[in-house]
Amino acid sequence: MTPPVMGSWTEWYLRTERSAGTVLVFAPHPDDEVIACGGTIARLAAEGVRVRIVFATDGAMSHSAVLGIHRDPAPAELRLIRRGEARAAAKELGLPEDAVHFLDFPDTALAEHLAAFRARVLDVLRVHPGVSEVYLPHEVRELNADHRLTGETVLACLAELDLTPAVHRYVVWDERTEQEFAFVNRNPPAAGAAAAERLVTVDITEQLPRKQAAFRAHRTQVELYAPGQTRPVVPEPFQQRVFTTPVEEFWITEPAAVRLEVE
């Protein structure tokens, strides 16, 4: 099949790559699934595609790490609260109650649990051998350690199981995000980005209201939730981009045949 002109290349790619298999979305923390691909998830759900979201960490350290607030809510409380928020957000995106899965590794410390995390990811992938698409954090371009290591580990597990779904890499935590949050948790990648990468843009204009509602469901992150807060965990400028941007962007690695036809 010959792809169309570049203006509609993204839509062509996504439609031709999609199959009847399950779509897995790997998120480092609850709310990353909405920030990175909430509109895409809503679109897939509306099309009847089976989408499952897998959270790598428990998100319990958001207030302690970013705001220096350790009580009311304490990390142990936040862990449970954010689980409920993730379920509520998934419902807003059109997913069933059983669509979310929590691996519960310690927030901000995934690097210390990589062997166990890898084993759990392998378990998830073995349950979905027919996975057709995977959405995950970019294993190089993401700066936050929990983000980057989530992507890196999932890619390694896919290779180990010889699974070849269409992979869509997203970036949530870049230098601007790092500056706005005033929080750094880096773990440098071992290698550079793939040379054959292409950035594709997905129009989510119709799904933006659902994405907005899902983001608001993560109340601990977007509101002044704790009595001691003077700003939300997610800074206002970042929130505004999520609420108003009508597109989502993903890095993909093109099959060689597709690269030849398009170029």
Side-chain angles (χ1 to χ4, degrees):
M1 179 179 180
T2 302
V5 296
M6 287 302 295
S8 54
W9 192 90
T10 295
E11 289 300 314
W12 171 83
Y13 178 84
L14 292 175
R15 289 183 183 280
T16 54
E17 286 297 306
R18 184 160 297 142
S19 72
T22 298
V23 173
L24 294 178
V25 177
F26 287 88
H29 314 95
D31 81 352
D32 288 319
E33 81 290 4
V34 177
I35 293 168
C37 45
T40 301
I41 293 171
R43 181 177 178 174
L44 291 169
E47 293 175 357
V49 177
R50 187 172 186 266
V51 182
R52 294 294 179 264
I53 303 172
V54 182
F55 295 103
T57 76
D58 57 19
M61 294 299 292
S62 62
H63 284 63
S64 293
V66 177
L67 302 178
I69 295 174
H70 309 291
R71 296 175 59 85
D72 196 17
E77 295 174 281
L78 266 175
R79 177 177 178 271
L80 297 178
I81 294 168
R82 297 196 70 185
R83 270 187 170 228
E85 291 176 341
R87 292 190 178 99
K91 183 177 180 180
E92 293 289 356
L93 296 176
L95 299 183
E97 194 170 309
D98 65 349
V100 295
H101 185 56
F102 303 93
L103 300 185
D104 277 336
F105 286 92
D107 185 10
T108 74
L110 188 59
E112 301 170 21
H113 302 271
L114 288 182
F117 177 55
R118 182 187 180 99
R120 295 290 301 281
V121 171
L122 286 170
D123 288 342
V124 170
L125 293 176
R126 289 188 182 106
V127 174
H128 301 285
V131 57
S132 59
E133 295 180 59
V134 172
Y135 291 78
L136 48 73
H138 200 293
E139 77 280 15
V140 176
R141 299 179 188 274
E142 284 274 8
L143 298 183
N144 181 282
D146 286 353
H147 287 234
R148 191 187 67 72
L149 291 170
T150 296
E152 182 181 272
T153 302
V154 174
L155 287 172
C157 291
L158 287 170
E160 180 174 334
L161 297 176
D162 199 27
L163 298 177
T164 57
V167 175
H168 308 270
R169 298 166 169 88
Y170 59 77
V171 177
V172 168
W173 204 278
D174 56 16
E175 289 184 355
R176 178 166 61 169
T177 303
E178 200 171 66
Q179 291 169 0
E180 290 173 346
F181 274 75
F183 174 70
V184 177
N185 179 27
R186 292 200 183 191
N187 182 304
E197 280 191 331
R198 180 190 292 272
L199 184 64
V200 298
T201 302
V202 179
D203 185 346
I204 62 161
T205 302
E206 292 184 11
Q207 293 78 33
L208 192 55
R210 279 189 173 273
K211 178 169 181 170
Q212 293 166 344
F215 197 32
R216 291 190 184 98
H218 288 285
R219 293 183 55 217
T220 58
Q221 307 305 295
V222 302
E223 298 179 7
L224 297 179
Y225 190 85
Q229 282 185 248
T230 58
R231 53 150 276 201
V233 172
V234 179
E236 294 288 354
F238 188 99
Q239 288 193 40
Q240 282 303 111
R241 290 198 298 278
V242 176
F243 281 126
T244 61
T245 303
V247 297
E248 291 172 344
E249 294 182 335
F250 305 101
W251 291 93
I252 64 167
T253 303
E254 302 170 11
V258 172
R259 291 201 300 273
L260 290 172
E261 289 180 347
V262 172
E263 294 169 358

